[in-house]
Amino acid sequence: MNGIVILLVGALLCFYGIRSLHLAVLATGFGLGWLVADLFDASVSALFLFALVGAVTAWVVTSLVFKFSAYFIGGLAGAMAGARVADVVQPGDNDWALSAIVVLAVTVTAAFLADKYRARALLWLTSIGGASMILNGVGRTVGFLDFFRSPTTAWQQVLATTAWIALSVAGWAVQRRLFAEKLGIETTNRDWRAGHVNSQR
């Protein structure tokens, strides 16, 4: 059951995250709390507690610093991606120090990218973060796919990383198609067509 919850929240973020600022904030906060707690094999109740605290905290902080919301959401999504990277590169038991360094580095990088490129960066970050949550949920729900959550051997790392990349690209493609106008893609294409027609007159 707990795997299905994180899978659904991940799917929402991966394929629909750019649609609503509030949705992105709550989903990334929830996912970050969950994935960070999961790095250290927390109990199910602790996972839900961390996830809920993460969602509420993210929403409150973003409401207080709305001017920097893109920066903050980018940082949250980056932290989720960092938690996933930390889990993939550390087979077996995770080291607190190395995990913290990886998560912090990806968080800061993602925050600056989101602040600089706004919707385009958030499109990628929500897709990547949502994909990591989906894989965590699949690993918890389907017994023989547990390595998607925490790969331990080389082939599992390769397969889990490939699945993560494929899901991220799929999420990016779906969101880009669904929310082209929000991303300014439709306007750009329309303007190009209009300019092309005018140039032929």
Side-chain angles (χ1 to χ4, degrees):
M1 177 61 184
N2 57 319
I4 294 174
V5 171
I6 196 67
L7 193 158
L8 291 175
V9 174
L12 194 65
L13 183 62
C14 184
F15 298 104
Y16 204 74
I18 200 71
R19 176 67 181 85
S20 165
L21 178 65
H22 294 289
L23 171 66
V25 168
L26 290 170
T28 51
F30 185 93
L32 175 59
W34 182 286
L35 292 176
V36 168
D38 192 52
L39 271 176
F40 307 101
D41 297 318
S43 65
V44 174
S45 56
L47 286 171
F48 274 105
L49 180 61
F50 270 84
L52 291 174
V53 168
V56 172
T57 303
W59 190 80
V60 169
V61 172
T62 304
S63 299
L64 293 174
V65 291
F66 194 79
K67 183 179 179 182
F68 305 102
S69 58
Y71 185 90
F72 189 68
I73 295 170
L76 285 173
M80 288 170 51
R84 178 68 187 171
V85 170
D87 205 24
V88 169
V89 300
Q90 297 180 85
D93 294 332
N94 288 315
D95 177 30
W96 273 93
L98 180 58
S99 295
I101 291 169
V102 171
V103 171
L104 184 61
V106 179
T107 299
V108 172
T109 303
F112 278 107
L113 286 173
D115 189 51
K116 184 174 177 63
Y117 298 106
R118 299 286 171 168
R120 299 298 179 98
L122 290 176
L123 171 63
W124 270 111
L125 291 168
T126 54
S127 299
I128 292 169
S132 65
M133 292 168 67
I134 291 172
L135 291 179
N136 190 288
V138 168
R140 286 181 168 276
T141 306
V142 185
F144 67 92
L145 294 177
D146 180 58
F147 66 90
F148 275 159
R149 182 172 72 91
S150 188
T152 54
T153 64
W155 73 267
Q156 288 178 345
Q157 287 177 304
V158 170
L159 198 54
T161 303
T162 303
W164 187 26
I165 292 170
L167 261 176
S168 300
V169 171
W172 173 85
V174 169
Q175 289 198 73
R176 190 175 188 274
R177 184 170 182 81
L178 288 177
F179 311 119
E181 189 171 350
K182 186 178 181 69
L183 293 163
I185 297 168
E186 200 170 77
T187 304
T188 303
N189 290 341
R190 193 188 307 120
D191 290 346
W192 179 86
R193 284 195 300 270
H196 185 66
V197 169
N198 289 336
S199 67
Q200 291 181 327
R201 286 180 180 173

